[in-house]
Amino acid sequence: MDSTMMDHPLSTQMIFERGERLFASSRIIGFDGATTTVTPYAQVAKRARRLASALSALGLRQGEVLGTYCWNTQAHLEAYLAVPAMGCVLHTLNVRLPAPHLEFVIGHADDRVLLVDAPLLEALAAVLPALPRVEHLIVNGPSPGNIAGFRGRVHDYEALIAGHEPMGAFPQLRESDAAAVCYTSGTTGLPKGVVYSHRSVFLHSLASMAADCFAISNRDRILMVPPMFHANAWGMPFSGWLAGSDMILPGRFLQPDNLARLIAAERPTLMAAVPTILNDLLQAHARAPIDLSSFRTIVSGGSAVSSTLIERVKAAWGVDVVQGWGMTETSPMCVLSFPPRDAKGADEVQWRAKSGRPVPGMHVRIVDDADQPLPEDGETTGHLQLKGPWVSGGYLREAPDAAPLTADGWLRTGDVGRIDELGFVQITDRAKDLIKSGGEWISSVELEIGIAALDGVIEAAVIAVPDPRWEERPLALVVLDQTTRPEPAALRAELLGRFARYMIPEYWAIVETLPRTSVGKIDKKQLREKFDGGDLSILVESRFGAGEGN
Amino acid sequence: MDSTMMDHPLSTQMIFERGERLFASSRIIGFDGATTTVTPYAQVAKRARRLASALSALGLRQGEVLGTYCWNTQAHLEAYLAVPAMGCVLHTLNVRLPAPHLEFVIGHADDRVLLVDAPLLEALAAVLPALPRVEHLIVNGPSPGNIAGFRGRVHDYEALIAGHEPMGAFPQLRESDAAAVCYTSGTTGLPKGVVYSHRSVFLHSLASMAADCFAISNRDRILMVPPMFHANAWGMPFSGWLAGSDMILPGRFLQPDNLARLIAAERPTLMAAVPTILNDLLQAHARAPIDLSSFRTIVSGGSAVSSTLIERVKAAWGVDVVQGWGMTETSPMCVLSFPPRDAKGADEVQWRAKSGRPVPGMHVRIVDDADQPLPEDGETTGHLQLKGPWVSGGYLREAPDAAPLTADGWLRTGDVGRIDELGFVQITDRAKDLIKSGGEWISSVELEIGIAALDGVIEAAVIAVPDPRWEERPLALVVLDQTTRPEPAALRAELLGRFARYMIPEYWAIVETLPRTSVGKIDKKQLREKFDGGDLSILVESRFGAGEGN
């Protein structure tokens, strides 16, 4: 028997057109650090259609790539809407990439047109002379007219779109067509390109609206905190538009004071944010109270969210934090930590502190080194693997045999973790960040959360250092509260009883700050380089008997 | 640029396995008219896997069809889970079909195995002798052993599944494979088969979870009122299982007293129900108070939901009614009437009384007789057409040129309506139920709602009758409250000022009841036959000047 369903390709055009048609009066709120602008969807959609016509007139053809080098600005959102809908590919460039990587990804994706926020122009301009295939640079904000060493044309964004009529009907696309490309931050080697299809973007957006996912709705006001150049800002520019939510775009003004002001003025109902942002807001709140009670939910992820942080946010503002875990390769929504429905009170927090359960459509498993599934008993640790309709099966222009898939089609995440009886995933570490001590795995993430929860500790990172007896041992790097400054010996004593003795670090270093990657995660690669070999004896402030209790 | 997304087919297996894996303790509640049974998902899933093994052992091969002739029972749900997941096709037979139609659809779909609730066996058994290709009959409940004239084997459901081990891995399917087939009730001609694909069922289920759709979540307790043989009960057996909701299956016990008892005992949070059921519950409430306050929302559709009904439900129990409109051909969720977010109070009800706005993924338009789009201004009336990934583009084993699609791929619904500036659809009538009077269209549905809202009227139907001057005029058939029994002249007077004068019926008939179709809608075909030609003069009780004010 054949299905009688019509062949209707899933596409970002369905997203664009639904927001435009049904939610003309929903609002996009911009912020320049001082004042806000309010633009209704109807006008944003019209501007996006003008942009599509303009790009077409510049010669950007179906399947070709436009790169954006922007913060969370309205022009960036207009590119999100216009570029895939017209059949081109949106390449969101990470504005924190070092110049060699920036040059590499623009060339590798073959960007023909670039859109840049004016304040970011200088960094981008530096690499343009090496990129002869870039034909047009569109500047959102004051434009210099021309750029040394750049042979293409420079355009002013507003003048460009003002000069074109809104594009009418968009071309017919296949759902497997590329819609957007985002490069992984690449903690090792060069960045790698993940190419989202129209189908995957639509499915991810629809799933984001599910009541047990982000539950994004027409009544929401989304504060767009995650950078729109990183995994599509959790997909919220697409899912928010599909649902007709108001979206508040803070530009590059993500400092706690700016966010607090925006939140007070705009009363957002939803945001996603890395734990660092929540910690910043809590610290600001401790200095002078701020009000986050307008949020119905805060989604947090990007690195592990501790129960302490979840409890502090709840205590400060009565807001529930839902933890999420995902990757650029998963669009990124993959697992979310809604507690089981009968969990209550303190019990609830323990569930929220897990990485989460797979959202509808997503499949997870843990395996051994031979890709054989392991028991999901909450105790066995293994390599986490994924499958689903918005999961990447490879990278742009990488040989198929370099694809990170198992023989049976699961994505190797490079993370290790456990899965419990209820299906909750607990990521315990990046495989390469694990400390292999005397045949046991020690999770750097679990130690970091445990140490960061101690009084007087602001942040902690744990990396492996060589050890003559145990092969590797953990080194704890801690940022201390300058008023109390607890001693490492005291911190270590507090860990006894919370961790098995063999897990507790005997190497400690007190540092001023921890280095971060371009997406705001602790840069363990840099830490490992710094503490490699000879440097160790200098920087370690406190050393206990190596391998004690192992 | 090619997308790097993995090829992951959408399927009902994703629904089955998510509910089974993540929500083992969610509950299926059965009801036999007196007592309830509670079965956790884990056990239901295991029983469904046993059923899959049993069907496989009976010889049901991939792509073959199992017909169900059941009410909303646990065995029926188990078939929903097992049959598509094992790669076979679930054919839900309407238990109200007349025998010739029943025989036709079983033969037309080529059902090889039938599952029947024991209390329904007699009606099914009557057609079996004419269906030699049916090899197995599985009886859910006391089984007679053999059936006169049936050459296949008869099985007891419980004995059958007890005799087989749960099926392990399901076969790999393509997303375009058929998952289920449902025949339209066919107010004209023979029923026609709509065949849902794995893709369409998954997408419809995911969309049903959206916050602005049914918002089905793990916290819900769904009272399954729509028959599971009719458009998959609004898809809720699938979407509820995907979300891990408790599901309360009332069997065939849909009388107001039974429902009221179930609701009081089980405190459901969500149901979908035709307006008749809500009217029944309101009438029961007027006799002796019942409590529906546990519902977070009631979705109503199947026929137009009046603002009066919405207001009465809100006044009685504080529950919001969301109107939905869809068809067997749309899986069926298509448009839902959530008010615009800034609508308040009384204003809200006017929006809820519209058919609704398209859910994410669905497209609607109105066209003229030449399929040319008409203005969406809230005033222009045209033929409603649809497009979307869970819309049928044809019917089973019908020639492609019989497909109800326009040249540009839109489904002709056979309904007429308006679309307003905000995208709200208002279905005004079935095209064939419109009254064409002196070159104007009069909506039978709008008149029915207006008349039913009058004091002393319980129900109303309006059909066209021939008129020498105006071609057609409306005939109002009314069921009256026996205590007040208002006069047609008085009712007619009340309509003045609410409708244009040319719309107001001058032909009236008072009837005891209105005939209904197999899915509970007023059977206008039967009414038209009854009031055709000569009979009219006898049955009309009250006649005003024909065409007065036209």
Side-chain angles (χ1 to χ4, degrees):
Chain A
M1 180 176 288
D2 293 321
S3 146
T4 62
M5 292 294 112
M6 60 169 62
D7 184 17
H8 188 89
L10 307 177
S11 88
T12 68
Q13 294 169 349
M14 295 159 79
I15 297 172
F16 185 139
E17 290 169 358
R18 184 170 196 263
E20 178 184 43
R21 176 66 189 87
L22 300 187
F23 308 112
S25 65
S26 289
R27 285 149 287 202
I28 301 301
I29 292 121
F31 184 55
D32 66 0
T35 57
T36 54
T37 53
V38 179
T39 316
Y41 269 33
Q43 199 177 330
V44 174
K46 202 165 182 182
R47 288 167 53 90
R49 287 184 182 272
R50 287 184 191 280
L51 174 60
S53 292
L55 293 172
S56 184
L58 293 184
L60 194 72
R61 289 183 302 276
Q62 206 168 319
E64 289 190 329
V65 182
L66 175 136
T68 59
Y69 196 76
C70 303
W71 275 103
N72 296 0
T73 55
Q74 185 179 321
H76 204 178
L77 180 67
E78 287 160 2
Y80 261 74
L81 294 170
V83 176
M86 68 186 285
C88 298
V89 184
L90 178 80
H91 176 193
T92 50
L93 292 157
N94 186 331
V95 306
R96 296 182 185 121
L97 281 184
H101 282 189
L102 180 61
E103 182 187 321
F104 168 77
V105 299
I106 294 173
H108 189 259
D110 196 19
D111 297 0
R112 309 306 297 273
V113 178
L114 295 173
L115 169 67
V116 60
D117 282 347
L120 295 168
L121 182 58
E122 197 179 321
L124 183 64
V127 304
L128 287 179
L131 294 160
R133 283 180 60 81
V134 175
E135 292 169 13
H136 299 278
L137 178 70
I138 306 169
V139 182
N140 174 38
S143 160
N146 71 13
I147 287 163
F150 173 55
R151 277 158 294 182
R153 285 170 58 199
V154 179
H155 307 266
D156 174 80
Y157 182 75
E158 292 297 334
L160 182 71
I161 66 172
H164 291 85
E165 289 303 307
M167 185 177 277
F170 294 120
Q172 177 79 41
L173 304 175
R174 288 167 308 177
E175 67 181 33
S176 60
D177 285 344
V181 56
C182 183
Y183 281 73
T184 61
S185 45
T187 47
T188 54
L190 285 169
K192 289 183 283 190
V194 172
V195 187
Y196 307 109
S197 64
H198 279 269
R199 168 184 164 107
S200 73
V201 173
F202 179 81
L203 287 171
H204 184 271
S205 303
L206 187 60
S208 298
M209 296 175 74
D212 286 336
C213 297
F214 301 154
I216 290 175
S217 90
N218 181 221
R219 292 172 300 287
D220 272 319
R221 294 171 64 76
I222 301 173
L223 180 60
M224 195 77 69
V225 174
M228 285 165 64
F229 54 75
H230 183 218
N232 297 330
W234 294 63
M236 288 183 176
F238 291 121
S239 51
W241 187 271
L242 179 61
S245 312
D246 287 346
M247 291 190 263
I248 302 152
L249 306 178
R252 63 185 190 280
F253 305 99
L254 298 175
Q255 306 72 20
D257 291 355
N258 277 318
L259 286 182
R261 260 194 302 148
L262 258 182
I263 292 166
E266 298 294 336
R267 310 285 302 158
T269 59
L270 179 68
M271 72 170 173
V274 292
T276 308
I277 297 265
L278 298 183
N279 270 320
D280 288 352
L281 287 167
L282 281 167
Q283 284 182 37
H285 182 61
R287 292 191 299 270
I290 58 179
D291 181 10
L292 266 67
S293 65
S294 64
F295 287 108
R296 64 169 174 82
T297 298
I298 295 174
V299 185
S300 192
S303 56
V305 185
S306 67
S307 55
T308 313
L309 180 59
I310 294 164
E311 283 167 336
R312 285 179 186 163
V313 170
K314 182 81 173 181
W317 303 296
V319 175
D320 282 325
V321 172
V322 172
Q323 181 160 189
W325 176 91
M327 313 166 71
T328 301
E329 288 85 342
T330 63
S331 301
M333 189 176 65
C334 180
V335 302
L336 288 174
S337 71
F338 287 97
R341 60 180 173 179
D342 39 10
K344 286 199 177 59
D347 189 33
E348 237 202 72
V349 174
Q350 112 192 23
W351 296 105
R352 292 184 185 276
K354 292 179 186 282
S355 308
R357 293 204 272 193
V359 298
M362 195 61 69
H363 307 261
V364 300
R365 70 177 188 185
I366 49 170
V367 299
D368 61 19
D369 289 339
D371 291 333
Q372 293 307 302
L374 290 170
E376 300 184 350
D377 55 11
E379 296 186 356
T380 308
T381 298
H383 300 283
L384 187 73
Q385 300 187 337
L386 311 172
K387 229 182 199 178
W390 51 88
V391 177
S392 189
Y395 298 100
L396 179 62
R397 299 191 184 106
E398 298 254 327
D401 61 356
L405 295 188
T406 63
D408 54 349
W410 292 72
L411 176 78
R412 301 180 209 275
T413 62
D415 280 335
V416 295
R418 300 182 289 268
I419 302 179
D420 70 15
E421 286 81 356
L422 293 179
F424 278 86
V425 176
Q426 178 65 63
I427 307 283
T428 51
D429 220 335
R430 294 292 296 168
K432 66 182 181 324
D433 291 341
L434 280 175
I435 298 121
K436 288 102 181 174
S437 173
E440 297 283 353
W441 283 358
I442 300 174
S443 160
S444 64
V445 174
E446 288 178 332
L447 277 176
E448 286 159 4
I449 290 174
I451 296 169
L454 300 178
D455 284 341
V457 177
I458 299 206
E459 268 193 321
V462 174
I463 60 171
V465 290
D467 182 274
R469 185 167 172 207
W470 302 109
E471 187 181 0
E472 289 182 356
R473 289 295 300 155
L475 162 64
L477 300 120
V478 289
V479 180
L480 297 181
D481 182 332
Q482 291 307 307
T483 54
T484 55
R485 291 191 61 85
E487 285 297 315
L491 296 175
R492 188 169 188 280
E494 287 196 67
L495 296 180
L496 294 166
R498 304 194 193 181
F499 290 90
R501 287 185 66 88
Y502 76 89
M503 294 180 178
I504 298 175
E506 53 279 345
Y507 299 100
W508 291 73
I510 292 160
V511 293
E512 293 293 310
T513 57
L514 292 168
R516 304 225 164 241
T517 68
S518 62
V519 294
K521 298 185 187 183
I522 293 170
D523 190 341
K524 295 200 179 176
K525 189 176 152 207
Q526 201 177 318
L527 284 176
R528 272 191 289 263
E529 281 162 7
K530 199 164 176 179
F531 288 87
D532 189 26
D535 278 318
L536 191 61
S537 58
I538 303 166
L539 284 149
V540 168
E541 291 209 341
S542 169
R543 188 170 188 277
F544 304 84
E548 179 192 340
N550 211 14
Chain B
M1 180 177 288
D2 292 324
S3 147
T4 62
M5 292 293 112
M6 59 170 62
D7 184 19
H8 189 89
L10 308 176
S11 88
T12 69
Q13 294 169 349
M14 295 158 79
I15 296 172
F16 186 134
E17 290 170 358
R18 185 170 195 263
E20 177 184 45
R21 176 64 188 89
L22 300 187
F23 307 112
S25 65
S26 288
R27 284 149 289 205
I28 301 301
I29 293 121
F31 184 56
D32 66 0
T35 58
T36 55
T37 53
V38 179
T39 317
Y41 269 33
Q43 200 178 326
V44 174
K46 202 167 182 178
R47 288 167 53 90
R49 286 184 182 274
R50 287 185 192 279
L51 173 60
S53 292
L55 294 172
S56 184
L58 294 184
L60 194 71
R61 288 182 303 276
Q62 206 169 317
E64 289 190 331
V65 183
L66 174 137
T68 59
Y69 196 76
C70 303
W71 275 102
N72 296 0
T73 56
Q74 184 179 321
H76 204 178
L77 179 67
E78 288 161 1
Y80 261 73
L81 295 169
V83 176
M86 68 185 287
C88 298
V89 184
L90 178 80
H91 176 193
T92 49
L93 292 156
N94 186 332
V95 306
R96 296 184 185 122
L97 280 183
H101 282 190
L102 180 61
E103 182 186 322
F104 168 77
V105 299
I106 294 174
H108 189 258
D110 196 19
D111 296 0
R112 311 306 298 273
V113 177
L114 295 173
L115 170 66
V116 60
D117 283 347
L120 295 168
L121 182 57
E122 195 179 321
L124 183 63
V127 302
L128 287 179
L131 293 160
R133 284 181 59 82
V134 175
E135 293 169 12
H136 299 278
L137 178 70
I138 307 169
V139 183
N140 174 37
S143 161
N146 70 12
I147 287 164
F150 174 54
R151 278 157 293 180
R153 286 170 57 200
V154 179
H155 307 266
D156 173 78
Y157 182 75
E158 291 298 334
L160 180 71
I161 67 170
H164 291 85
E165 288 303 307
M167 184 175 279
F170 294 120
Q172 178 78 43
L173 303 175
R174 289 167 308 176
E175 66 180 36
S176 60
D177 285 345
V181 56
C182 183
Y183 281 73
T184 59
S185 44
T187 46
T188 53
L190 284 169
K192 289 183 282 190
V194 171
V195 186
Y196 306 108
S197 64
H198 279 269
R199 170 185 163 105
S200 73
V201 173
F202 179 81
L203 287 171
H204 184 272
S205 303
L206 187 60
S208 300
M209 297 175 75
D212 286 335
C213 297
F214 301 154
I216 291 175
S217 90
N218 180 222
R219 293 172 300 284
D220 272 319
R221 293 171 65 76
I222 301 172
L223 179 61
M224 195 76 69
V225 174
M228 286 166 65
F229 54 74
H230 183 217
N232 297 329
W234 295 63
M236 287 183 177
F238 291 121
S239 51
W241 186 271
L242 179 61
S245 312
D246 288 346
M247 290 190 265
I248 303 153
L249 306 177
R252 64 183 191 281
F253 305 99
L254 297 175
Q255 306 71 18
D257 290 355
N258 277 318
L259 286 183
R261 259 193 304 147
L262 257 183
I263 292 166
E266 298 295 335
R267 311 284 302 156
T269 60
L270 180 68
M271 74 169 171
V274 292
T276 309
I277 296 265
L278 297 183
N279 269 320
D280 287 353
L281 287 167
L282 280 167
Q283 285 183 36
H285 182 61
R287 293 191 298 270
I290 57 179
D291 181 9
L292 265 67
S293 64
S294 64
F295 288 109
R296 63 168 174 82
T297 298
I298 295 174
V299 185
S300 191
S303 55
V305 185
S306 67
S307 55
T308 313
L309 180 58
I310 294 166
E311 282 167 338
R312 284 178 186 161
V313 170
K314 182 82 175 181
W317 303 295
V319 176
D320 282 325
V321 172
V322 172
Q323 181 161 188
W325 176 90
M327 315 165 72
T328 301
E329 288 85 340
T330 63
S331 299
M333 189 176 65
C334 181
V335 302
L336 288 173
S337 72
F338 286 98
R341 61 181 172 177
D342 39 11
K344 288 199 176 56
D347 189 32
E348 238 201 71
V349 174
Q350 113 192 23
W351 296 106
R352 292 184 185 277
K354 293 179 185 282
S355 308
R357 293 204 274 192
V359 299
M362 195 61 71
H363 307 261
V364 299
R365 70 177 187 184
I366 48 170
V367 298
D368 62 19
D369 289 339
D371 291 334
Q372 293 308 300
L374 289 170
E376 300 184 349
D377 55 12
E379 295 186 356
T380 309
T381 298
H383 300 282
L384 186 75
Q385 300 187 338
L386 311 172
K387 228 183 198 179
W390 51 87
V391 177
S392 189
Y395 298 100
L396 180 63
R397 296 189 189 108
E398 298 254 327
D401 62 356
L405 294 190
T406 64
D408 54 348
W410 292 73
L411 176 78
R412 302 179 209 275
T413 62
D415 280 337
V416 294
R418 299 182 289 268
I419 303 179
D420 70 16
E421 287 81 355
L422 293 179
F424 278 86
V425 176
Q426 179 65 64
I427 308 282
T428 50
D429 220 335
R430 295 293 295 169
K432 64 183 182 322
D433 291 341
L434 279 176
I435 298 120
K436 286 105 182 170
S437 172
E440 297 283 351
W441 283 358
I442 299 174
S443 160
S444 65
V445 174
E446 287 177 335
L447 277 176
E448 285 160 4
I449 290 175
I451 297 168
L454 300 177
D455 283 343
V457 178
I458 297 199
E459 269 193 319
V462 174
I463 60 171
V465 290
D467 184 273
R469 183 165 173 209
W470 304 108
E471 186 180 2
E472 290 182 355
R473 289 297 298 157
L475 161 65
L477 301 120
V478 289
V479 180
L480 296 182
D481 182 333
Q482 292 307 308
T483 54
T484 55
R485 291 190 61 86
E487 285 298 318
L491 296 175
R492 189 171 186 279
E494 286 196 68
L495 295 181
L496 294 167
R498 304 192 195 184
F499 289 90
R501 288 185 67 90
Y502 75 90
M503 294 180 179
I504 298 176
E506 53 278 345
Y507 299 100
W508 291 73
I510 292 161
V511 294
E512 292 294 309
T513 57
L514 292 168
R516 303 222 166 246
T517 69
S518 62
V519 294
K521 297 183 189 185
I522 293 170
D523 190 342
K524 294 200 177 175
K525 190 175 152 205
Q526 201 178 317
L527 284 176
R528 272 190 289 263
E529 282 164 6
K530 199 165 176 179
F531 289 86
D532 190 26
D535 277 319
L536 191 61
S537 58
I538 303 164
L539 284 150
V540 168
E541 290 211 337
S542 169
R543 189 171 187 277
F544 303 83
E548 180 189 341
N550 212 13

